[in-house]
Amino acid sequence: MANYALGLGNGYPESEELNEDAILQIGDMWRDIQGANNWKGLLDPIHPLLKAEILRYGDFAQHCYDTFDNTRSSQYYGNSKRSKSSLGQRLGSVKCGRGYQVTEYIYANTGTLKSYFREKWRDTGAWMGFIAVCTDPNEIKRLGRRDIVVAWRGTETPHEWMQNLKDILVPAVLSASTKSNIQSTFKPDVRIEKGFLTCYTSVDEGSGRSRLSAREIVVAEIKRLLNIFKDDVSITFTGHSLGAALATISAYDIKQMVMNENYIRSIPVTVFAFASPRVGNLSFAQHVDEIGVKVLRLVNKKDLVPKVPGIIVNEKMGWLTRILHWCPWTYVHVGIEITLDSSKSQVLKQTYNPSSFHNLEVYLHLVDGLPQNNNLPFKLPRRDPALVNKNSDLLIRELQIPSYWWTRRNKEIVKRIDGKLVYSPRSPSAVSIPESPSLLISNLVIVLEVVVALFGVVSFFHVGSRI
């Protein structure tokens, strides 16, 4: 709930330019990077080690988007386009996942409106992300500990857009399955947005992918890994948009459910949340802080999504928020915020398109350009700006980077031996690339979220006037 502006004054390196080796070596600083001291002294200006880790975990979230098959014509629509071993190899080929092994895939039941949207999958379970653990001794040494990552993707399917619009607060009952053997702690004053909670806890017993809820998958796998690895371990959650909300809920769940066992209680649980909407009420935000979940939120100040739900009554209203804490539309952000500003980048177009400010690659571009000295302007980042245009048209024309260049090759149309062109989708173990989501759908949903939030507030005052 805080927004810190602290300078370097705790013995950390303060040079504007650190060499590559110094940036990569985390070592004994890892607990500070994971938020043990609420990132005191690391945020303003941002410390280069923290920046590097934010980018690394952001890349984990971006790989969730890149791996998800969102092409309606594909027989694998709604699933991962890579096997776990293939994704692990892909992560190992880039800096973010070097030395990590993908151990589990996360599926969620998001098919509540299947008949209306006529989704192409027969299975209501959608691939939402993955769990990976660092197993390479050299990488463990570099990081200063063994790291477990839980990465979530954001909204991609019509079902998930509709889940996002269920913006009423409900009690945080974290086990929807009556057959679950995972215990749940219930605090009646802690409330979470209904759509996010449903996505995390709901099951479909007739489904091949979501017979278990996303919650059951995550908690069971984290427990399994913690029973295997007894050395210094951190658990890091990351996600963008809906994925950031699910990362926050699952981190809260893991800390509360799993960390009750004495031998693992000291394991840090951290969330790096990109463009996260508000997740719960004041009691939720307070309880997240009390149990020691560290949340660092990255927010582009022009992005509308972090402003919802709770667009009217939220943490910025002070005493009014406390008075109206019982209202099912009173939301409060969790954790600590780093504010980004897309207007400061020299290579981004200045646009009024709301979805442009929400793009994860734009977020990573802005993080990479943060100066290590407040007296310096936004600097051209080391991260290739061309990545911004993977699924957008946001780079200035002078760079000559094509828009929406990240697409499936020939949309999987291949020529057979007899010369006939046929559709031949690759199996999930093959290396393939997703199409960009519809820009129109993205814009419409952002507008719908704001309209629904306003409708909830109007309904609240209408009901209040009748009491």
Side-chain angles (χ1 to χ4, degrees):
M1 292 188 295
N3 189 336
Y4 286 94
L6 301 171
L8 295 173
N10 49 10
Y12 300 140
E14 299 187 27
S15 63
E16 167 62 19
E17 296 295 336
L18 295 184
N19 62 56
E20 189 71 11
D21 291 337
I23 291 177
L24 291 176
Q25 297 301 322
I26 296 173
D28 294 338
M29 266 192 70
W30 74 268
R31 291 187 181 274
D32 294 306
I33 297 297
Q34 294 294 111
N37 296 310
N38 294 317
W39 296 282
K40 183 178 180 180
L42 301 178
L43 297 179
D44 191 7
I46 190 166
H47 192 279
L49 283 172
L50 177 59
K51 179 199 288 189
E53 286 297 274
I54 292 173
L55 290 171
R56 192 169 70 88
Y57 288 114
D59 273 329
F60 276 112
Q62 182 61 51
H63 272 84
C64 290
Y65 282 117
D66 295 346
T67 304
F68 180 68
D69 192 336
N70 65 350
T71 303
R72 300 292 185 88
S73 60
S74 171
Q75 70 183 80
Y76 303 110
Y77 175 54
N79 207 341
S80 165
K81 295 198 277 56
R82 297 178 184 270
S83 66
K84 284 182 278 191
S85 60
S86 175
L87 177 56
Q89 291 172 3
R90 174 62 180 168
L91 293 173
S93 68
V94 294
K95 286 184 178 180
C96 77
R98 184 171 51 196
Y100 282 78
Q101 176 186 351
V102 178
T103 64
E104 188 61 278
Y105 274 171
I106 306 170
Y107 292 90
N109 175 34
T110 62
T112 56
L113 298 173
K114 179 180 179 182
S115 61
Y116 179 80
F117 284 110
R118 298 179 182 178
E119 295 284 30
K120 299 298 183 182
W121 57 41
R122 295 181 180 179
D123 198 313
T124 58
W127 186 86
M128 296 299 298
F130 61 89
I131 301 171
V133 59
C134 186
T135 57
D136 179 71
N138 292 329
E139 185 68 1
I140 292 172
K141 181 179 179 181
R142 183 187 76 82
L143 295 174
R145 85 288 186 191
R146 186 185 303 274
D147 186 39
I148 299 172
V149 171
V150 183
W152 297 86
R153 67 168 174 84
T155 308
E156 286 285 300
T157 71
H159 297 158
E160 294 153 16
W161 289 122
M162 296 307 296
Q163 292 285 13
N164 292 347
L165 299 178
K166 298 178 181 179
D167 70 336
I168 190 170
L169 287 162
V170 296
V173 180
L174 291 171
S175 180
S177 172
T178 57
K179 297 181 180 180
S180 173
N181 61 357
I182 302 173
Q183 296 182 351
S184 175
T185 300
F186 176 65
K187 294 177 72 68
D189 57 332
V190 173
R191 293 176 176 266
I192 295 174
E193 200 250 26
K194 182 178 180 179
F196 303 152
L197 189 63
T198 300
C199 187
Y200 184 58
T201 61
S202 65
V203 299
D204 181 358
E205 295 185 354
S207 163
R209 299 178 194 156
S210 54
R211 286 193 295 265
L212 295 176
S213 67
R215 177 190 186 247
E216 290 171 306
I217 293 171
V218 171
V219 174
E221 181 62 12
I222 294 297
K223 282 187 173 182
R224 187 186 75 84
L225 292 175
L226 292 177
N227 285 331
I228 294 174
F229 302 111
K230 305 296 184 179
D231 48 355
D232 280 344
V233 176
S234 64
I235 307 175
T236 310
F237 294 79
T238 183
H240 171 258
S241 193
L242 168 64
L246 294 173
T248 302
I249 295 171
S250 53
Y252 170 75
D253 190 20
I254 288 296
K255 189 71 173 182
Q256 191 175 213
M257 301 298 110
V258 180
M259 300 304 170
N260 288 333
E261 301 179 34
N262 291 330
Y263 72 98
I264 57 174
R265 182 169 292 168
S266 62
I267 295 177
V269 174
T270 305
V271 182
F272 291 98
F274 298 83
S276 178
R278 295 185 180 94
V279 176
N281 64 355
L282 177 61
S283 295
F284 174 72
Q286 290 174 337
H287 199 219
V288 166
D289 186 56
E290 288 170 4
I291 65 177
V293 177
K294 304 300 181 179
V295 182
L296 188 61
R297 292 182 297 107
L298 289 302
V299 176
N300 184 350
K301 70 178 186 179
K302 293 187 177 182
D303 188 357
L304 294 179
V305 172
K307 296 177 173 61
V308 297
I311 194 169
I312 302 297
V313 184
N314 52 60
E315 70 282 349
K316 297 180 180 179
M317 305 302 293
W319 59 269
L320 184 60
T321 303
R322 293 188 291 273
I323 292 176
L324 297 178
H325 68 90
W326 51 270
C327 173
W329 294 282
T330 301
Y331 283 82
V332 172
H333 265 308
V334 301
I336 296 171
E337 177 179 314
I338 293 180
T339 304
L340 308 170
D341 187 355
S342 53
S343 65
K344 292 185 177 181
S345 173
Q346 306 93 322
V347 300
L348 295 180
K349 295 177 181 177
Q350 300 308 310
T351 176
Y352 296 100
N353 185 339
S355 66
S356 300
F357 307 122
H358 189 59
N359 186 303
L360 178 54
E361 285 290 359
V362 170
Y363 269 75
L364 299 179
H365 169 78
L366 296 176
V367 170
D368 198 23
L370 287 174
Q372 295 165 22
N373 187 319
N374 287 334
N375 297 322
L376 297 175
F378 183 91
K379 67 176 184 178
L380 290 178
R382 296 180 180 180
R383 185 182 180 86
D384 196 329
L387 292 170
V388 170
N389 266 12
K390 283 171 66 175
N391 294 308
S392 68
D393 182 19
L394 299 177
L395 293 175
I396 58 176
R397 185 173 300 178
E398 289 79 358
L399 294 183
Q400 298 183 335
I401 302 297
S403 61
Y404 298 96
W405 55 262
W406 189 260
T407 59
R408 286 181 183 269
R409 184 178 181 181
N410 301 325
K411 296 190 176 181
E412 298 189 318
I413 297 294
V414 299
K415 181 181 287 188
R416 294 194 317 201
I417 296 176
D418 60 6
K420 186 176 181 179
L421 296 173
V422 296
Y423 173 61
S424 180
R426 300 179 182 182
S427 69
S429 62
V431 177
S432 50
I433 303 172
E435 289 182 332
S436 60
S438 168
L439 188 62
L440 176 61
I441 291 177
S442 300
N443 289 337
L444 285 175
V445 170
I446 289 175
V447 172
L448 276 172
E449 288 183 335
V450 174
V451 170
V452 170
L454 289 172
F455 176 76
V457 173
V458 172
S459 300
F460 161 69
F461 284 110
H462 176 68
V463 171
S465 65
R466 296 173 57 187
I467 297 176

mmCIF file of all heavy atoms in Angstrom, residues 153-171:
data_model
loop_
_atom_site.group_PDB
_atom_site.id
_atom_site.type_symbol
_atom_site.label_atom_id
_atom_site.label_comp_id
_atom_site.label_asym_id
_atom_site.label_seq_id
_atom_site.Cartn_x
_atom_site.Cartn_y
_atom_site.Cartn_z
ATOM 1 N N ARG A 153 0.263 -15.906 -17.153
ATOM 2 C CA ARG A 153 -0.023 -15.017 -18.267
ATOM 3 C C ARG A 153 -1.255 -14.164 -17.951
ATOM 4 O O ARG A 153 -2.024 -14.449 -17.035
ATOM 5 C CB ARG A 153 -0.260 -15.811 -19.553
ATOM 6 C CG ARG A 153 -1.514 -16.664 -19.535
ATOM 7 C CD ARG A 153 -1.857 -17.190 -20.925
ATOM 8 N NE ARG A 153 -2.991 -18.113 -20.859
ATOM 9 C CZ ARG A 153 -4.251 -17.728 -20.852
ATOM 10 N NH1 ARG A 153 -4.555 -16.447 -20.861
ATOM 11 N NH2 ARG A 153 -5.226 -18.623 -20.808
ATOM 12 N N GLY A 154 -1.457 -13.132 -18.767
ATOM 13 C CA GLY A 154 -2.628 -12.285 -18.629
ATOM 14 C C GLY A 154 -3.777 -12.772 -19.488
ATOM 15 O O GLY A 154 -3.764 -13.865 -20.048
ATOM 16 N N THR A 155 -4.789 -11.924 -19.610
ATOM 17 C CA THR A 155 -6.023 -12.293 -20.295
ATOM 18 C C THR A 155 -5.803 -12.464 -21.796
ATOM 19 O O THR A 155 -5.223 -11.605 -22.446
ATOM 20 C CB THR A 155 -7.092 -11.221 -20.056
ATOM 21 O OG1 THR A 155 -7.211 -10.984 -18.651
ATOM 22 C CG2 THR A 155 -8.433 -11.655 -20.605
ATOM 23 N N GLU A 156 -6.310 -13.579 -22.333
ATOM 24 C CA GLU A 156 -6.186 -13.865 -23.756
ATOM 25 C C GLU A 156 -7.496 -14.313 -24.394
ATOM 26 O O GLU A 156 -7.717 -14.067 -25.565
ATOM 27 C CB GLU A 156 -5.129 -14.952 -23.989
ATOM 28 C CG GLU A 156 -3.700 -14.482 -23.809
ATOM 29 C CD GLU A 156 -3.225 -13.634 -24.978
ATOM 30 O OE1 GLU A 156 -3.205 -14.121 -26.109
ATOM 31 O OE2 GLU A 156 -2.906 -12.459 -24.738
ATOM 32 N N THR A 157 -8.367 -14.998 -23.654
ATOM 33 C CA THR A 157 -9.581 -15.563 -24.249
ATOM 34 C C THR A 157 -10.809 -14.767 -23.819
ATOM 35 O O THR A 157 -10.793 -14.084 -22.788
ATOM 36 C CB THR A 157 -9.774 -17.026 -23.811
ATOM 37 O OG1 THR A 157 -10.148 -17.061 -22.424
ATOM 38 C CG2 THR A 157 -8.488 -17.829 -24.008
ATOM 39 N N PRO A 158 -11.913 -14.850 -24.598
ATOM 40 C CA PRO A 158 -13.143 -14.156 -24.198
ATOM 41 C C PRO A 158 -13.645 -14.556 -22.819
ATOM 42 O O PRO A 158 -14.165 -13.728 -22.077
ATOM 43 C CB PRO A 158 -14.135 -14.563 -25.295
ATOM 44 C CG PRO A 158 -13.282 -14.841 -26.481
ATOM 45 C CD PRO A 158 -12.025 -15.456 -25.939
ATOM 46 N N HIS A 159 -13.489 -15.846 -22.455
ATOM 47 C CA HIS A 159 -13.901 -16.281 -21.123
ATOM 48 C C HIS A 159 -13.201 -15.461 -20.039
ATOM 49 O O HIS A 159 -13.800 -15.048 -19.045
ATOM 50 C CB HIS A 159 -13.537 -17.762 -20.910
ATOM 51 C CG HIS A 159 -14.243 -18.685 -21.844
ATOM 52 N ND1 HIS A 159 -13.761 -19.941 -22.140
ATOM 53 C CD2 HIS A 159 -15.381 -18.550 -22.557
ATOM 54 C CE1 HIS A 159 -14.579 -20.546 -22.989
ATOM 55 N NE2 HIS A 159 -15.558 -19.714 -23.263
ATOM 56 N N GLU A 160 -11.908 -15.279 -20.212
ATOM 57 C CA GLU A 160 -11.120 -14.572 -19.194
ATOM 58 C C GLU A 160 -11.481 -13.094 -19.143
ATOM 59 O O GLU A 160 -11.465 -12.492 -18.067
ATOM 60 C CB GLU A 160 -9.629 -14.770 -19.485
ATOM 61 C CG GLU A 160 -9.192 -16.215 -19.320
ATOM 62 C CD GLU A 160 -7.991 -16.588 -20.163
ATOM 63 O OE1 GLU A 160 -7.300 -15.684 -20.658
ATOM 64 O OE2 GLU A 160 -7.768 -17.797 -20.339
ATOM 65 N N TRP A 161 -11.803 -12.513 -20.307
ATOM 66 C CA TRP A 161 -12.262 -11.116 -20.288
ATOM 67 C C TRP A 161 -13.518 -10.995 -19.432
ATOM 68 O O TRP A 161 -13.670 -10.042 -18.654
ATOM 69 C CB TRP A 161 -12.550 -10.628 -21.708
ATOM 70 C CG TRP A 161 -11.353 -10.421 -22.582
ATOM 71 C CD1 TRP A 161 -11.110 -11.015 -23.786
ATOM 72 C CD2 TRP A 161 -10.231 -9.553 -22.354
ATOM 73 N NE1 TRP A 161 -9.919 -10.582 -24.312
ATOM 74 C CE2 TRP A 161 -9.355 -9.687 -23.446
ATOM 75 C CE3 TRP A 161 -9.883 -8.681 -21.317
ATOM 76 C CZ2 TRP A 161 -8.158 -8.975 -23.550
ATOM 77 C CZ3 TRP A 161 -8.690 -7.976 -21.413
ATOM 78 C CH2 TRP A 161 -7.850 -8.135 -22.514
ATOM 79 N N MET A 162 -14.435 -11.952 -19.583
ATOM 80 C CA MET A 162 -15.671 -11.889 -18.806
ATOM 81 C C MET A 162 -15.416 -12.127 -17.324
ATOM 82 O O MET A 162 -16.072 -11.520 -16.470
ATOM 83 C CB MET A 162 -16.681 -12.910 -19.346
ATOM 84 C CG MET A 162 -17.127 -12.637 -20.789
ATOM 85 S SD MET A 162 -17.739 -10.947 -21.043
ATOM 86 C CE MET A 162 -19.186 -10.945 -19.975
ATOM 87 N N GLN A 163 -14.469 -12.993 -17.005
ATOM 88 C CA GLN A 163 -14.112 -13.178 -15.594
ATOM 89 C C GLN A 163 -13.606 -11.872 -14.991
ATOM 90 O O GLN A 163 -13.895 -11.546 -13.840
ATOM 91 C CB GLN A 163 -13.036 -14.275 -15.454
ATOM 92 C CG GLN A 163 -13.492 -15.681 -15.797
ATOM 93 C CD GLN A 163 -14.379 -16.307 -14.732
ATOM 94 O OE1 GLN A 163 -14.869 -15.641 -13.830
ATOM 95 N NE2 GLN A 163 -14.618 -17.609 -14.848
ATOM 96 N N ASN A 164 -12.847 -11.116 -15.781
ATOM 97 C CA ASN A 164 -12.314 -9.847 -15.286
ATOM 98 C C ASN A 164 -13.411 -8.873 -14.906
ATOM 99 O O ASN A 164 -13.219 -7.994 -14.053
ATOM 100 C CB ASN A 164 -11.420 -9.188 -16.349
ATOM 101 C CG ASN A 164 -10.142 -9.969 -16.600
ATOM 102 O OD1 ASN A 164 -9.794 -10.860 -15.844
ATOM 103 N ND2 ASN A 164 -9.457 -9.649 -17.682
ATOM 104 N N LEU A 165 -14.575 -9.002 -15.549
ATOM 105 C CA LEU A 165 -15.658 -8.050 -15.319
ATOM 106 C C LEU A 165 -16.490 -8.384 -14.080
ATOM 107 O O LEU A 165 -17.356 -7.599 -13.698
ATOM 108 C CB LEU A 165 -16.567 -7.996 -16.555
ATOM 109 C CG LEU A 165 -15.874 -7.532 -17.845
ATOM 110 C CD1 LEU A 165 -16.860 -7.569 -19.003
ATOM 111 C CD2 LEU A 165 -15.289 -6.139 -17.695
ATOM 112 N N LYS A 166 -16.232 -9.531 -13.457
ATOM 113 C CA LYS A 166 -16.934 -9.887 -12.216
ATOM 114 C C LYS A 166 -16.244 -9.165 -11.064
ATOM 115 O O LYS A 166 -15.491 -9.751 -10.289
ATOM 116 C CB LYS A 166 -16.907 -11.397 -12.001
ATOM 117 C CG LYS A 166 -17.621 -12.191 -13.095
ATOM 118 C CD LYS A 166 -17.501 -13.687 -12.830
ATOM 119 C CE LYS A 166 -18.165 -14.512 -13.902
ATOM 120 N NZ LYS A 166 -18.017 -15.980 -13.653
ATOM 121 N N ASP A 167 -16.519 -7.863 -10.952
ATOM 122 C CA ASP A 167 -15.687 -7.033 -10.081
ATOM 123 C C ASP A 167 -16.245 -6.862 -8.678
ATOM 124 O O ASP A 167 -15.789 -5.996 -7.934
ATOM 125 C CB ASP A 167 -15.470 -5.653 -10.727
ATOM 126 C CG ASP A 167 -16.741 -4.815 -10.750
ATOM 127 O OD1 ASP A 167 -17.841 -5.396 -10.709
ATOM 128 O OD2 ASP A 167 -16.623 -3.576 -10.791
ATOM 129 N N ILE A 168 -17.181 -7.699 -8.256
ATOM 130 C CA ILE A 168 -17.682 -7.616 -6.889
ATOM 131 C C ILE A 168 -16.734 -8.362 -5.952
ATOM 132 O O ILE A 168 -16.134 -9.377 -6.330
ATOM 133 C CB ILE A 168 -19.111 -8.205 -6.803
ATOM 134 C CG1 ILE A 168 -19.728 -7.891 -5.432
ATOM 135 C CG2 ILE A 168 -19.110 -9.694 -7.067
ATOM 136 C CD1 ILE A 168 -21.197 -8.222 -5.351
ATOM 137 N N LEU A 169 -16.550 -7.855 -4.755
ATOM 138 C CA LEU A 169 -15.686 -8.501 -3.766
ATOM 139 C C LEU A 169 -16.436 -9.624 -3.060
ATOM 140 O O LEU A 169 -17.594 -9.462 -2.661
ATOM 141 C CB LEU A 169 -15.200 -7.479 -2.728
ATOM 142 C CG LEU A 169 -14.147 -6.482 -3.207
ATOM 143 C CD1 LEU A 169 -14.080 -5.294 -2.263
ATOM 144 C CD2 LEU A 169 -12.788 -7.149 -3.325
ATOM 145 N N VAL A 170 -15.768 -10.770 -2.903
ATOM 146 C CA VAL A 170 -16.352 -11.926 -2.226
ATOM 147 C C VAL A 170 -15.358 -12.453 -1.201
ATOM 148 O O VAL A 170 -14.152 -12.194 -1.304
ATOM 149 C CB VAL A 170 -16.714 -13.042 -3.235
ATOM 150 C CG1 VAL A 170 -17.802 -12.571 -4.186
ATOM 151 C CG2 VAL A 170 -15.482 -13.506 -4.005
ATOM 152 N N PRO A 171 -15.839 -13.188 -0.177
ATOM 153 C CA PRO A 171 -14.913 -13.753 0.821
ATOM 154 C C PRO A 171 -13.845 -14.612 0.163
ATOM 155 O O PRO A 171 -14.111 -15.348 -0.789
ATOM 156 C CB PRO A 171 -15.833 -14.578 1.723
ATOM 157 C CG PRO A 171 -17.175 -13.928 1.588
ATOM 158 C CD PRO A 171 -17.254 -13.452 0.165
#
